[in-house]
Amino acid sequence: MTVKVLLVAGARPNFMKVAPVIAALEGAAHECTFVHTGQHYDAVMSDAFIRDLGLRAPDYHLGVGSGSHALQTARIMEAFEPVVVAERPDWVVVVGDVNSTLACALVASKLAQETGCRIAHVEAGLRSNDWLMPEEINRVLTDRLSDLLLTPSRDALANLTREGIDSSRVVFVGNVMIDSLLRMLPQARGRGRGTGTGGHQGLNGGPYAIATLHRPSNVDDRESLTVILSALADLSADLSVVLPLHPRTRARIDSFGLEGLLAPLVATPPLGYMDMLALQADAEIVITDSGGMQEESTVLGVPCVTLRRTTERPVTVSQGTNRLAPWPLTRDGIVRTALDARRSGRVEIGARAPEGWDGHASERIVTALEKASATTERK
Ligand code: UD1
């Protein structure tokens, strides 16, 4: 039976999740329509990822751009609705926890009766239990709306059960982002580290840390941003600290007048997927508030320090190479945790990979969609 899927991506962390799913769907002769909402639109936030991952051009580009949460979500909904009506897919498949994820799930759920479409959520069941994070709202509501909940780690099922979601709708498939990582790593490493840093000084064979920051709770507050950048500056006494700057973070550094704190760091524009992968793979430590990098560093065997109060990816701590910096963040707490992490050392690639983080999640996603298509029931 051929399954007709409308697959949605909108923001940078979505592209590495949809690329293997498109390949697996098309490899199994299913019909896949790829929709890019345009939540991220800069060449460095979107095109570079599409190119690096070998993704084909989207069938629909909704071009929604930036705005407040309400505005962005509303624009995505308005633009996505006619696509679902025109395409009448069997499944709308959404990934991750960004505004595009929730907006498209909401549209599909309202059109379920009229078009017969169902919703599948890839990366279901993750919970930070921190309702101040916009992503937590997106996760909980998307899961509530989904007919098929595809989980990346075993802990997710307990979160969903606690919320009253019937386990018959939940399928453990593993982590699809790792499909992209394992596929692209040899090629990324072959290009050499530091390509995207403009061959930056300080990376010529010396040890380095790679840091990323973009969470509103870390970067929208002058005090928090100062604490984090000062800690990174302290660490740079011993090893180069590469800091690719998300547009949000760049804007805050400028408006708070913190440019001076970047002086000891290797600050770069946002990097593409391959450059980030190559840099992470050879780093001494990763310091981040990104969810994806907690997962990638776990598989790469690189110690990671997470600059967040909680993580919705606890398996990266219990099994992987991740640890949380003490909260509330302090300059000294970040430095101490980073030094401990560095001392703990790297492990072999894959040595700490959780179950199902094996490069085959996309195939299990396709199997789950095929099996669920064979049943006519909706939630
Ligand atoms: C979004 C996601 C977050 C994810 C992150 C990865 C939500 C609620 N948040 O956060 O979960 O971890 O993406 O990057 O969906 N901007 C540009 N160019 C772009 C895109 C954004 O300059 O291509 C700037 C704009 O000023 C924009 C700001 O970055 O207002 C924030 O972008 P937005 O998509 O709202 O959220 P992110 O912080 O990127």
Side-chain angles (χ1 to χ4, degrees):
M1 168 216 268
T2 303
V3 180
K4 183 169 176 178
V5 171
L6 208 55
L7 181 63
V8 179
R12 185 169 64 171
N14 294 160
F15 300 117
M16 58 291 257
K17 294 169 194 166
V18 297
V21 177
I22 294 178
L25 281 168
E26 293 183 342
H30 293 301
E31 206 180 315
C32 179
T33 303
F34 172 30
V35 181
H36 184 338
T37 65
Q39 175 174 344
H40 284 174
Y41 44 86
D42 279 350
V44 285
M45 300 294 284
S46 170
D47 305 359
F49 280 72
I50 291 182
R51 192 185 52 239
D52 278 4
L53 289 156
L55 261 171
R56 62 178 168 83
D59 299 296
Y60 291 88
H61 196 301
L62 307 182
V64 297
S66 298
S68 68
H69 285 277
L71 202 70
Q72 188 174 61
T73 308
R75 280 196 193 133
I76 298 167
M77 289 182 68
E78 205 175 353
F80 187 58
E81 185 177 53
V83 178
V84 181
V85 170
E87 293 288 337
R88 301 184 89 81
D90 299 313
W91 292 94
V92 169
V93 177
V94 295
V95 301
D97 56 16
V98 302
N99 286 343
S100 302
T101 313
L102 174 60
C104 294
L106 199 46
V107 167
S109 70
K110 302 260 184 181
L111 287 172
Q113 190 73 19
E114 180 185 332
T115 66
C117 73
R118 284 188 274 176
I119 304 159
H121 183 205
V122 173
E123 204 183 272
L126 300 189
R127 296 291 181 267
S128 67
N129 298 309
D130 177 357
W131 280 86
L132 295 177
M133 290 179 75
E135 293 81 5
E136 185 71 353
I137 299 167
N138 294 340
R139 289 182 199 114
V140 172
L141 297 182
T142 301
D143 284 344
R144 186 66 192 84
L145 297 169
S146 295
D147 301 273
L148 181 61
L149 295 100
L150 302 164
T151 60
S153 49
R154 293 284 183 190
D155 50 284
L157 178 60
N159 293 331
L160 296 170
T161 306
R162 214 173 17 250
E163 290 169 19
I165 289 176
D166 193 309
S167 63
S168 64
R169 284 160 53 201
V170 183
V171 180
F172 169 71
V173 291
N175 191 333
V176 76
M177 219 172 77
I178 306 307
D179 292 18
S180 283
L181 182 151
L182 295 176
R183 202 179 71 213
M184 305 310 278
L185 186 61
Q187 211 180 319
R189 280 197 133 148
R191 287 171 20 146
R193 59 178 163 160
T195 326
T197 60
H200 208 291
Q201 8 351 28
L203 293 183
N204 305 322
Y208 64 90
I210 177 139
T212 72
L213 295 173
H214 73 283
R215 295 283 160 201
S217 56
N218 282 336
V219 307
D220 287 357
D221 174 62
R222 188 178 199 280
E223 188 57 39
S224 308
L225 188 53
T226 304
V227 162
I228 296 169
L229 293 176
S230 305
L232 297 180
D234 291 348
L235 288 167
S236 69
D238 262 355
L239 78 176
S240 305
V241 177
V242 185
L243 179 67
L245 286 169
H246 186 284
R248 174 192 284 278
T249 312
R250 173 82 257 176
R252 296 299 179 269
I253 288 171
D254 293 346
S255 65
F256 296 147
L258 299 178
E259 183 70 31
L261 290 175
L262 296 182
L265 311 178
V266 182
T268 75
L271 300 179
Y273 182 70
M274 299 290 251
D275 287 328
M276 278 305 281
L277 209 51
L279 278 168
Q280 279 193 86
D282 286 338
E284 294 272 303
I285 45 173
V286 168
I287 304 172
T288 192
D289 59 13
S290 146
M293 285 176 68
Q294 295 172 51
E295 299 182 336
E296 288 166 345
S297 54
T298 272
V299 170
L300 292 169
V302 179
C304 176
V305 175
T306 294
L307 304 178
R308 300 246 312 266
R309 188 165 68 80
T310 58
T311 177
E312 62 286 337
R313 293 160 162 95
V315 75
T316 62
V317 176
S318 60
Q319 214 179 312
T321 58
N322 189 19
R323 64 192 74 200
L324 297 177
W327 195 267
L329 296 176
T330 61
R331 181 170 175 170
D332 183 51
I334 296 171
V335 171
R336 262 188 298 110
T337 313
L339 293 176
D340 281 353
R342 189 178 178 198
R343 266 192 298 275
S344 74
R346 303 161 45 103
V347 294
E348 281 296 299
I349 290 180
R352 299 266 180 85
E355 182 188 357
W357 297 29
D358 57 0
H360 298 288
S362 50
E363 295 147 39
R364 291 187 288 266
I365 289 169
V366 171
T367 304
L369 285 167
E370 287 167 347
K371 279 192 180 154
S373 300
T375 69
T376 49
E377 262 174 62
R378 280 219 195 81
K379 63 177 180 286

